[in-house]
Amino acid sequence: MTHFTSNTYQLKRKILNFANKISRKLTKPNRKFTANMTYGILASQSCLLTDTADHLHEPSKKVNVVDRLSRHLKKGTPPLAAAAYF
């Protein structure tokens, strides 16, 4: 018998650990954004913000989540995050 729930949480933990390595030196909002986008894109298998917002399972309205994500995307990639990634 396979344990899909435990496999899902293990995979989510690995994704979030990777996102934390990239965003270690960033501010807390930027760390949260990096983790949300990384997990949302991988979970939804789509780069559309509405699909990403659906898979984040946040209690707020989808429109508010999409607005928050799009505001962060407009700022661009912080230089510290790009350096940590490379």
Side-chain angles (χ1 to χ4, degrees), residues 11-12 14-16 18-19 34-47 51-52 55-56:
L11 184 59
K12 184 174 183 178
K14 288 180 182 180
I15 292 168
L16 293 178
F18 172 73
T34 303
N36 283 340
M37 286 300 292
T38 305
Y39 177 74
I41 288 172
L42 290 173
S44 67
Q45 298 179 354
S46 172
C47 291
D51 294 341
T52 301
H55 284 81
L56 292 178

Side-chain angles (χ1 to χ4, degrees), residues 6-60:
S6 62
N7 292 342
T8 302
Y9 285 119
Q10 288 173 0
L11 184 59
K12 184 174 183 178
R13 188 178 326 118
K14 288 180 182 180
I15 292 168
L16 293 178
N17 284 338
F18 172 73
N20 287 335
K21 287 178 186 178
I22 293 174
S23 61
R24 183 175 296 139
K25 296 180 181 180
L26 299 177
T27 62
K28 190 171 183 175
N30 283 334
R31 284 195 309 260
K32 182 180 176 184
F33 169 72
T34 303
N36 283 340
M37 286 300 292
T38 305
Y39 177 74
I41 288 172
L42 290 173
S44 67
Q45 298 179 354
S46 172
C47 291
L48 297 175
L49 290 179
T50 53
D51 294 341
T52 301
D54 282 339
H55 284 81
L56 292 178
H57 303 293
E58 293 187 358
S60 57

Side-chain angles (χ1 to χ4, degrees), residues 47-75:
C47 291
L48 297 175
L49 290 179
T50 53
D51 294 341
T52 301
D54 282 339
H55 284 81
L56 292 178
H57 303 293
E58 293 187 358
S60 57
K61 293 181 181 180
K62 184 184 352 181
V63 113
N64 295 335
V65 175
V66 170
D67 285 343
R68 177 176 56 84
L69 295 176
S70 63
R71 276 195 315 268
H72 276 282
L73 282 174
K74 286 180 185 176
K75 294 178 186 177

